[in-house]
Every structure is written in structure tokens, then in C-alpha cells.
Amino acid sequence: LWGADGDQWDPRGRLPDFSYAGYQGGEKAIPDVAAVRDMKRDFGAKGDGRTDDTAAFLRAIQEAPDGALFIPRGRYVIQRDLRIERSRLVLRGEGPDKTVLYFTKSLTDLYGPNREWSWTGGMIDVGAWGKDWFLTTVSAPAKRGDRMLKVSVPSRVQPGMMIVLRLTDDAQHTLWNHAHNEQAAYPQITTCMPMNALDWMVQVDAVDVESKTITLHQPLRADVRPDWSPTIYRPPYIDEIGIEQLGIEFPPVPYSEHNQEPGYNAIYFRNYVGNRWVRNVSIFNADSAIHVTGSKWITVTGITIDANRPPRQPGFWYGHHGLHSESSEDILFEYFIFKKNFQHELGVEHQNSGSVFHRGDGTGFSNDLRAGPNPAIVAD
């Protein structure tokens, strides 16, 4: 379709450029950030599998300077969720079999029943809080594949800034039709664009005040038309956050009903965060392992997902979502192993583009309930 070497690929066609997936748009390696604090030495965590270390972790996340927070080998009992709402912080253990964060409670235990725990929330919850700041409007149409936009007030935009380009559907639902390649009549597929708006987070490379243009780091993935009120916002963005070299574990509570999970969820990235990574992490007995929403340029690599809790019969499911991304751009999931079946091992949902699943393996990956669990694990 695109030539032997991709020479016939057209940036204005439906196939986007997936090479921007991952940390720093796939253009830089994940850094080895220097350790600046030690959980045991500087914050008094015990890691003995009995002592409640929750307060030590909460204080460390707030007080540690920029850099890596080293978590020495041990089993750390944590009784609530850990929220990271800042940039430039890395949680680093000594390895997933040596440093284990044992979360004793579910989101339902902490915050009460909520059906959304089936697909949102996590015990390590990373997100930016605040509102979008209006910057300018787009003053001329552009085509999918273009990288330059003409704007009304270019002086409000700076090179290197992460922005959100927002398109809002018109009364005739022409944006909806464009997003579905004119192949679905409104509102046949309500989950693909549920808010009748399309957001795209992208970095700005250059600003020309005289010509009133900005140049984007990536080509547009949709047309930009005046009828869709194209507007540029600055989000409350945070970045350079890592979770690496550790294990995350939950109690062996039997898996619940589908979409009634109590929220034993491990990692949740949300709300305008980018340039982050999860590296060499094992997740055990989770309802959902890793959720990504409203985010960009994330690498999730070297992940093992396993369980020893009773599965849900008759589908042999041990959890709900494995690796899941929605409303996000350019997320890279690679080198992952599922040792037990999940309802949805891999998932992408509405307004997700440019994401890649690469070199994963394990049991599951089948909707055939007759197959049951497959004990054969073949690493690639």
C-alpha cells in the first residue's frame, strides 16, 4: 500500500506517522536520573512488610527535590493512593523482585463505590491539575499532514510549548464525519468522539510573529477548518516522571464482575502529562495494570503482569484492563508479558492516536472463552 520502503506513504492519508510514539517523541532514550533521596534513610520508611509506610511515601513525594527517589529493597505497606502532581520525579526501586509496593486497599475502600474504577484511577496516580489557558484561535484552514498553522495572536505561543489544538463539531457533524472517514453516520459510534470535540496535544517547534504562523513538531492528524472553531490552549502540563525497577502488588482478592471492579488499579497517568515512562515493573493481582488518559509521549517498557488470586469463571479472567490508553497520543507499550488472562489485555479507546504496542507476549490475547488460561509463556 505504501511502497516497499514506505516511499508512497502520504502524510495527508489516513495512516499517521507512528514514529513519534514514546518518551520525547521517540527521539531520545529514557534517562537514568540521579538519585537525590533515599526512602529509608531520608524519610524513615521501613519496608519490612508490616509497618505502614504510607506517610513516609506521601511526605517524600511532596518534599523530595527534582530527581530520583530511591526505594531500597523491601516490602512497603501502603494504605492509600500516591498522587504525583509535579514534574521531574522518578520512583526507583532495586528491581521488581526486590522492591515491592504492597497496596492493601482498593479505590472503593478509599473513596466509595464508583463504576468508573473499572477504567480510571490508580494507586500511583500521576496528573496535572488546573484549567486550560486560552492562547489564540487558528485563522486559516489546514490539511491533515500539514505542520504549519496560521494563528490570530502568535505572540502568546512559545517554541517548545506543549499546546492543545481543539476542534469543535458543527451542527451538521462534519467533524464527526471527518474523524470517521465519512464511513459512519452520526451518532452511530458514540464512544469515538463522545464530547463532539477533538483535542490533540502537540509541541510547538517555531513561532513566526511576522507571518502569524506556528510550526508544529508533528503533522496534523486531522484537517483544521474554520467551521470547527479551531482554538489553541495551553494545558496545565507536567513531565519527566518515571516509575521504574519495582513491583506493585495487591491482596489476592477474587476477581470481581466485569465493570464492577473495586479498583485495585496500579498506575494511572492522566490530565496533560507527557514525557514519562514506566520501566521494568511487575504488577500483581491488579484489576487494571496501567491506564493512560489525556497524555502524550509515554514509554511503558519491560512490564510483567501476573496474578495468583482466584479468577472469574467461566472466562478465566484475572483482571480487567492490562495496558490501556484513551484520549492520548503517541504512547509506546513494549516488551510486556501477560502471565494470566485479562478481560482486555491491550486496549485503545476514543480520541487515541499514534500509539504502538511492540514486542509483547504471554497468555490471553483471545476472546475465545473456550480456550481458558494458557500456561505457555514465550518471551520474544
Side-chain angles (χ1 to χ4, degrees), residues 73-228:
R73 66 181 60 200
R75 185 176 179 84
Y76 298 83
V77 176
I78 303 174
Q79 308 241 30
R80 61 154 294 175
D81 52 333
L82 305 177
R83 294 192 178 185
I84 300 174
E85 302 172 7
R86 50 172 286 194
S87 296
R88 296 174 295 280
L89 180 68
V90 177
L91 303 183
R92 176 186 298 145
E94 286 195 62
D97 59 338
K98 297 180 177 68
T99 299
V100 176
L101 308 185
Y102 179 60
F103 291 93
T104 63
K105 299 182 184 299
S106 69
L107 292 167
T108 294
D109 294 330
L110 296 174
Y111 301 108
N114 189 334
R115 191 166 182 263
E116 292 193 1
W117 301 147
S118 295
W119 52 83
T120 60
M123 288 300 160
I124 300 180
D125 185 331
V126 185
W129 296 94
K131 66 177 182 179
D132 303 337
W133 288 96
F134 168 80
L135 294 177
T136 184
T137 56
V138 179
S139 56
K143 300 291 290 183
R144 177 166 47 197
D146 291 347
R147 291 183 54 211
M148 185 175 290
L149 290 176
K150 196 170 185 65
V151 298
S152 302
V153 188
S155 60
R156 295 178 180 170
V157 186
Q158 302 297 320
M161 180 183 288
M162 194 68 78
I163 62 170
V164 171
L165 172 64
R166 180 166 299 155
L167 308 176
T168 303
D169 209 356
D170 56 18
Q172 291 72 41
H173 303 295
T174 57
L175 175 58
W176 175 282
N177 294 335
H178 174 67
H180 293 84
N181 199 45
E182 316 295 336
Q183 291 180 332
Y186 180 88
Q188 278 184 341
I189 309 174
T190 56
T191 59
C192 291
M193 209 171 72
M195 303 303 293
N196 285 332
L198 192 62
D199 281 3
W200 185 50
M201 190 155 55
V202 64
Q203 184 173 291
V204 176
D205 275 356
V207 178
D208 190 321
V209 175
E210 185 175 347
S211 66
K212 292 189 172 184
T213 59
I214 63 173
T215 302
L216 308 177
H217 191 72
Q218 298 171 244
L220 291 169
R221 288 187 174 145
D223 290 354
V224 174
R225 303 177 191 173
D227 290 345
W228 300 335

Side-chain angles (χ1 to χ4, degrees), residues 1-70:
L1 293 176
W2 297 283
D5 299 308
D7 50 286
Q8 296 182 36
W9 176 78
D10 182 358
R12 295 195 172 186
R14 295 182 64 201
L15 181 72
D17 184 348
F18 283 84
S19 67
Y20 293 98
Y23 173 79
Q24 290 285 353
E27 296 166 352
K28 294 182 181 178
I30 297 173
D32 290 318
V33 178
V36 293
R37 291 291 186 273
D38 183 297
M39 275 302 306
K40 289 186 176 180
R41 183 192 65 218
D42 298 312
F43 298 100
K46 300 301 182 183
D48 58 13
R50 301 181 304 275
T51 305
D52 182 0
D53 285 321
T54 307
F57 273 86
L58 293 175
R59 186 162 67 90
I61 290 170
Q62 292 298 319
E63 297 179 7
D66 294 351
L69 179 60
F70 179 60

Side-chain angles (χ1 to χ4, degrees), residues 286-300:
D287 285 337
S288 291
I290 300 178
H291 281 303
V292 177
T293 184
S295 301
K296 187 177 183 71
W297 285 353
I298 298 171
T299 294
V300 177

